[in-house]
């Protein structure tokens, strides 16, 4: 497991507003008959920088509602009151008033994030609305008014000269609206543990068995597991991907190569000195998403030779996707 003090960790989930499409799709799973499809968090610059994230919730009867989470960066910590309004002024002169539904403690960087010589907090609200209101905001946003407390001085006005907020929301909508129909179930039953320490969170999945064939055609089951780590001090996330191939010993630094259905290869390495039958790699979120898109084979470099495995259909990717989507039900961001 990687240490929580990890200063060089790349910003995996805080993506530019100009990114679009499936690069911005964070999760897409079914639970209790509902489908939850959400975007990554997108940073929006302004007098008060913020992050916006959009979720599309599809009901069993195919009805749809949207939820938007807004995290406002500020030099002090505060909590938006429940039902406090977020007022959106559009470039077309229309007004959309949304009410904050959030009523839980904020787990995002609870002690703030170091920024230069100071510290900032991300203070959030969650807002539900239907597509008619979303379409008004997608037409362009000139200003938002965020209510952070019930007082005359408790409103933050953020003006956008170039529709920065609307562009970010459009990119998020493109991601969730373009997501494929999913049958993957996101369930806490697929998780082994969820633990918190000083604002950090570790989520460990259960192991799923995947059937594969080696070069001789012999069938062997390889177990796969996934671990999620959230770092409160930096407000970043990372993933540990575990493989459990019986009888295979991969040395520290040994090559692990995943061959995608497209023929493209993703080369990772054994990250620790581990016992026989255990492999640990650190994929970026971009690599993890590509692995969930379809893996047809894996090769592992042992101290003496290469061991290769081929998967039928998408059984490896389907199991990895189920573990990832289940982790998303308990992830911080």
């Amino acid at each position: 497991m990687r240490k929580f003090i990890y200063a060089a960790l790349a910003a995996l989930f805080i993506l530019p507003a100009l990114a679009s499409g499936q690069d911005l799709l964070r999760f897409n799973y079914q639970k209790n008959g509902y489908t939850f499809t959400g975007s990554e968090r997108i940073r929006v610059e302004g007098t008060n920088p913020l992050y916006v994230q959009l979720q599309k919730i599809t009901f069993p009867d195919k009805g749809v509602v949207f939820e938007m989470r807004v995290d406002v960066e500020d030099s002090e910590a505060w909590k938006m009151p429940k039902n406090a309004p977020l007022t959106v002024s559009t470039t077309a002169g229309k007004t959309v008033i949304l009410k904050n539904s959030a009523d839980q403690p904020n787990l995002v960087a609870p002690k703030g994030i170091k920024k230069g010589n100071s510290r900032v907090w991300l203070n959030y609200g969650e807002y539900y609305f239907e597509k008619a209101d979303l379409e008004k905001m997608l037409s362009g946003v000139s200003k938002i008014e965020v209510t952070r407390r019930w007082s005359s001085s408790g409103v933050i006005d953020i003006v956008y000269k170039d529709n920065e907020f609307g562009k970010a929301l459009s990119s998020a909508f493109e991601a969730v609206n373009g997501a494929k129909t999913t049958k993957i179930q996101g369930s806490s039953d697929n998780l082994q543990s969820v633990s918190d320490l000083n604002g950090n969170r570790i989520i460990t999945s259960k192991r799923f068995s995947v059937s594969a064939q080696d070069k001789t055609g012999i069938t062997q089951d390889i177990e796969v597991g996934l671990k999620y780590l959230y770092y409160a001090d930096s407000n970043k996330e990372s993933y540990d991907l575990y493989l459990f191939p019986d009888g295979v010993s991969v040395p520290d630094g040994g090559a692990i190569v995943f061959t995608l259905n497209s023929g493209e290869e993703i080369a990772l390495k054994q990250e620790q000195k581990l016992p026989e039958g255990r492999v640990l790699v650190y994929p970026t979120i971009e690599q993890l998403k590509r692995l969930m898109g379809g893996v047809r084979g894996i090769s592992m470099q042992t101290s003496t030779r290469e061991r290769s495995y081929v998967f039928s259909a998408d059984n490896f990717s389907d199991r990895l996707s189920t573990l990832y989507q289940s982790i998303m039900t308990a992830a911080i961001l």
Side-chain angles (χ1 to χ4, degrees), residues 29-312:
Y29 61 85
Q30 291 188 1
K31 186 176 181 180
N32 299 327
Y34 294 79
T35 301
F36 299 87
T37 309
S39 74
E40 299 284 9
R41 294 152 49 85
I42 305 172
R43 183 176 175 88
V44 184
E45 298 296 344
T47 50
N48 281 81
L50 56 81
Y51 297 90
V52 62
Q53 183 179 43
L54 184 67
Q55 180 177 187
K56 177 183 178 182
I57 303 170
T58 305
F59 292 78
D61 64 1
K62 305 305 180 183
V64 171
V65 68
F66 292 90
E67 179 201 39
M68 179 175 68
R69 173 163 173 145
V70 175
D71 290 71
V72 180
E73 185 178 298
D74 203 0
S75 58
E76 59 179 299
W78 40 267
K79 187 178 184 301
M80 297 178 192
K82 188 174 182 180
N83 294 321
L86 170 70
T87 304
V88 180
S89 299
T90 74
T91 54
K94 297 180 180 180
T95 300
V96 179
I97 300 177
L98 308 173
K99 297 294 182 70
N100 175 35
S101 65
D103 198 27
Q104 300 296 326
N106 190 4
L107 300 179
V108 174
K111 296 180 180 179
I113 308 165
K114 190 174 181 181
K115 189 175 183 179
N117 295 323
S118 60
R119 190 166 288 272
V120 298
W121 281 261
L122 297 174
N123 306 290
Y124 81 109
E126 293 176 342
Y127 309 92
Y128 289 89
F129 46 85
E130 296 184 351
K131 193 172 183 180
D133 283 332
L134 176 62
E135 289 175 342
K136 292 177 185 177
M137 293 185 284
L138 292 178
S139 70
V141 174
S142 59
K143 186 177 77 167
I144 65 172
E145 299 173 15
V146 181
T147 302
R148 65 172 183 165
R149 64 171 65 98
W150 296 116
S151 69
S152 58
S153 61
V155 177
I156 298 175
D157 290 346
I158 308 176
V159 177
Y160 296 106
K161 296 181 179 180
D162 193 29
N163 188 31
E164 294 88 349
F165 186 90
K167 288 177 180 177
L169 191 59
S170 293
S171 293
F173 176 67
E174 180 182 347
V176 301
N177 198 52
K180 297 179 180 179
T181 302
T182 183
K183 294 183 179 180
I184 294 175
Q185 299 292 321
S187 173
S188 59
D189 292 341
N190 297 324
L191 304 180
Q192 179 177 307
S193 64
V194 179
S195 58
D196 294 287
L197 178 64
N198 297 326
N200 304 300
R201 174 164 290 188
I202 302 175
I203 305 173
T204 304
S205 78
K206 294 180 179 178
R207 298 183 190 178
F208 276 14
S209 182
V210 185
S211 181
Q213 285 189 339
D214 63 18
K215 283 186 175 181
T216 66
I218 296 177
T219 299
Q220 176 181 334
D221 286 341
I222 298 177
E223 291 186 323
V224 57
L226 195 61
K227 181 175 287 186
Y228 162 95
L229 302 99
Y230 171 76
Y231 310 87
D233 285 343
S234 61
N235 195 40
K236 303 293 191 299
E237 302 166 302
S238 68
Y239 288 89
D240 295 353
L241 173 59
Y242 287 91
L243 304 172
F244 300 90
D246 287 342
V248 177
S249 180
V250 178
D252 188 9
I256 312 295
V257 179
F258 298 81
T259 301
L260 307 185
N261 290 342
S262 64
E264 179 186 0
E265 293 183 344
I266 295 178
L268 300 173
K269 65 178 182 177
Q270 172 77 294
E271 292 289 351
Q272 295 180 12
K273 185 177 180 180
L274 296 174
E276 179 181 290
R278 189 172 180 182
V279 171
L280 168 63
V281 296
Y282 295 160
T284 66
I285 183 56
E286 292 83 5
Q287 290 171 330
L288 189 59
K289 287 180 178 180
R290 285 155 64 196
L291 293 175
M292 290 187 290
V295 173
R296 72 185 188 197
I298 299 177
S299 65
M300 306 177 187
Q301 186 63 53
T302 72
S303 57
T304 58
R305 62 189 178 95
E306 182 184 277
R307 299 287 293 269
S308 297
Y309 303 89
V310 177
F311 303 106
S312 61

